[in-house]
Amino acid sequence: MSATLPEPAGASKSDPSARPVTAGLFRRLAALSYDALLLAALLMFATWLVLPLTGGEAIAAESPRWGMLGYRLLLGAVIVAYFGLFWTRGGQTLGMLAWKIRVVRANGTRLRWRDVFLRLAAAVLSWLPAGSGYLWILVDRERLAWHDRLSATRVERS
């Protein structure tokens, strides 16, 4: 069940060809920086929850493999949950809400969990070559990043 999100400002009901305005690079990076701060706090909280299990000691490279693996899985789950819960419910994280942007599927509907996983994995690919996937927005005629294209999603102004 995928509901269509409310029509964004600037789109006209009388003009069916009117497409929402795609968010630019600055607005996306600003929202991402807000989210990075919130996510850092959540990751620190998750780490704090694990400390009693380690006797208050840091999980280091010398720690048992299962401990390091479990800790990394926990942090990955927090990241996926942060973006996934926001994107599947309203299409906006707190940073995106502040900067008035939202992520939708190519057809304008809300993301599903499959879309969340695909978009997050593709976003990693966008960052790997020195952020080239994000910088692609500056040359793409539709202002889409690599991960927008790979996951069939788009970030639009709300």
Side-chain angles (χ1 to χ4, degrees), residues 11 26 30 35 64 69 89 98 134 155:
F26 174 78
D35 287 326
L69 177 63
R89 290 198 165 60
Y134 276 88
V155 177

Side-chain angles (χ1 to χ4, degrees), residues 8-113:
S12 168
K13 289 184 189 244
S14 61
D15 182 9
S17 65
R19 288 191 52 113
V21 177
T22 305
L25 179 63
F26 174 78
R27 192 173 289 261
R28 289 183 189 211
L29 292 178
L32 186 59
S33 65
Y34 277 38
D35 287 326
L37 293 173
L38 294 168
L39 199 49
L42 287 173
L43 295 173
M44 283 189 259
F45 181 72
T47 300
W48 177 75
L49 291 175
V50 171
L51 285 177
L53 302 175
T54 65
E57 294 296 320
I59 298 175
E62 302 83 39
S63 300
R65 275 191 147 167
W66 62 267
M68 182 61 82
L69 177 63
Y71 179 64
R72 287 180 179 171
L73 288 174
L74 172 67
L75 296 183
V78 169
I79 293 168
V80 170
Y82 176 81
F83 287 105
L85 290 172
F86 282 114
W87 287 347
T88 59
R89 290 198 165 60
Q92 295 177 296
T93 59
L94 295 175
M96 295 171 90
L97 185 64
W99 282 92
K100 296 179 175 42
I101 59 176
R102 67 180 173 175
V103 64
V104 294
R105 296 172 69 204
N107 63 6
T109 58
R110 289 185 182 159
L111 270 63
R112 300 168 300 183
W113 278 99

Side-chain angles (χ1 to χ4, degrees), residues 25 29 126-127 129-140 144-147:
L25 179 63
L29 292 178
S126 285
W127 277 117
S132 297
Y134 276 88
L135 294 175
W136 188 256
I137 294 167
L138 298 173
V139 297
D140 189 274
L144 298 177
W146 291 352
H147 54 282

